[in-house]
Amino acid sequence: DTAVSQTPKYLVTQMGNDKSIKCEQNLGHDTMYWYKQDSKKFLKIMFSYNNKELIINETVPNRFSPKSPDKAHLNLHINSLELGDSAVYFCASSEKGGGGLDEQFFGPGTRLTVL
Amino acid sequence: QKEVEQDPGPLSVPEGAIVSLNCTYSNSAFQYFMWYRQYSRKGPELLMYTYSSGNKEDGRFTAQVDKSSKYISLFIRDSQPSDSATYLCAPNRDDKIIFGKGTRLHILP
């Protein structure tokens, strides 16, 4: 029974397209996150939501728009895809959010390739 | 100076060796220190955490924090091929967690 799931697992698309990645957690956590892991394996936070409210919004192009319909789901929509968007995108969740000793549980990742 | 720095490796050691993975950080506000392990093509998972300075042991793993020098270490005793993964240090404070780039570890059978 998967705790944090993401779809799709792989996404190959052309430059300029718009795409979405979906994330769901069944842990009952209040906070969800989106991370980007680039080719150099650097894991960088993009957004976090606590109970559907945006908490962290790092310096991310506004082509990226997160949407949280409820606290168990956090989707990521990307407009006008660029080559530099190619990366692995991880969704994560944690019980409370905000750092501290709050363990984050990660999904399996979505490998996005922009051609 | 970056907030968290780790040598990316790869680090290759023979099975059974003691492994030392290290991380430095610049922000003295960090109070909690976590290590995440990431297997190839998987998401990271929490391995250990400590609060403030000192050592914490969990089986073959020992996490060590020296806040005075802003230095974090993870020791793995009796290393196994199944320990081959990327290890990310993650110091954090109350509002945010920062991940290091990770050190890729390869245990040779």
Side-chain angles (χ1 to χ4, degrees), chain A residues 10 35 37 41-43 56 58 90 98-104 106-108 111, chain B residues 32 34 36 38 41-44 46 49-50 88 92-97 99 101:
Chain A
Y10 299 95
Y35 285 88
Q37 190 170 47
K41 304 296 183 187
F42 186 36
L43 188 67
I56 293 175
E58 293 292 305
F90 286 101
L101 290 174
D102 193 30
E103 179 181 358
Q104 294 192 20
F106 285 80
R111 188 171 293 271
Chain B
Y32 311 95
M34 295 174 160
Y36 279 76
Q38 185 176 18
R41 296 186 173 261
K42 301 281 187 187
L46 181 65
Y49 65 85
T50 59
L88 300 97
N92 59 103
R93 49 182 199 252
D94 285 330
D95 62 335
K96 203 161 66 169
I97 183 171
F99 284 93
K101 285 191 178 185

Side-chain angles (χ1 to χ4, degrees), chain B residues 48-82:
Chain B
M48 289 186 70
Y49 65 85
T50 59
Y51 172 65
S52 196
S53 282
N55 292 356
K56 183 174 181 181
E57 193 173 315
D58 184 0
R60 296 184 296 109
F61 299 88
T62 300
Q64 192 174 77
V65 176
D66 181 348
K67 289 189 76 178
S68 61
S69 57
K70 299 189 181 70
Y71 197 82
I72 312 167
S73 299
L74 178 70
F75 299 97
I76 307 174
R77 289 185 302 281
D78 188 24
S79 55
Q80 304 292 310
S82 59

Side-chain angles (χ1 to χ4, degrees), chain A residues 77-90:
Chain A
H77 188 76
I78 315 170
N79 288 329
S80 303
L81 278 155
E82 300 177 356
L83 292 176
D85 298 332
S86 296
V88 181
Y89 291 83
F90 286 101

Side-chain angles (χ1 to χ4, degrees), chain A residues 3-84:
Chain A
V4 181
S5 59
Q6 295 178 228
T7 54
K9 198 168 182 181
Y10 299 95
L11 187 52
V12 181
T13 188
Q14 299 285 335
M15 259 194 329
N17 283 351
D18 302 339
K19 290 293 177 187
S20 290
I21 307 171
K22 294 187 177 181
C23 179
E24 176 181 0
Q25 54 97 2
N26 63 5
L27 297 166
H29 288 167
D30 283 343
T31 304
M32 295 184 73
Y33 310 80
W34 276 111
Y35 285 88
K36 178 181 180 181
Q37 190 170 47
D38 60 26
S39 57
K40 295 180 181 176
K41 304 296 183 187
F42 186 36
L43 188 67
K44 190 168 183 188
I45 190 164
M46 301 172 70
F47 304 102
S48 77
Y49 269 74
N50 181 278
N51 210 0
K52 301 197 298 175
E53 183 184 343
L54 181 65
I55 301 298
I56 293 175
N57 184 352
E58 293 292 305
T59 308
V60 175
N62 58 14
R63 299 182 294 104
F64 291 79
S65 52
K67 281 193 172 56
S68 182
D70 55 61
K71 76 172 194 176
H73 296 85
L74 180 62
N75 303 323
L76 183 66
H77 188 76
I78 315 170
N79 288 329
S80 303
L81 278 155
E82 300 177 356
L83 292 176

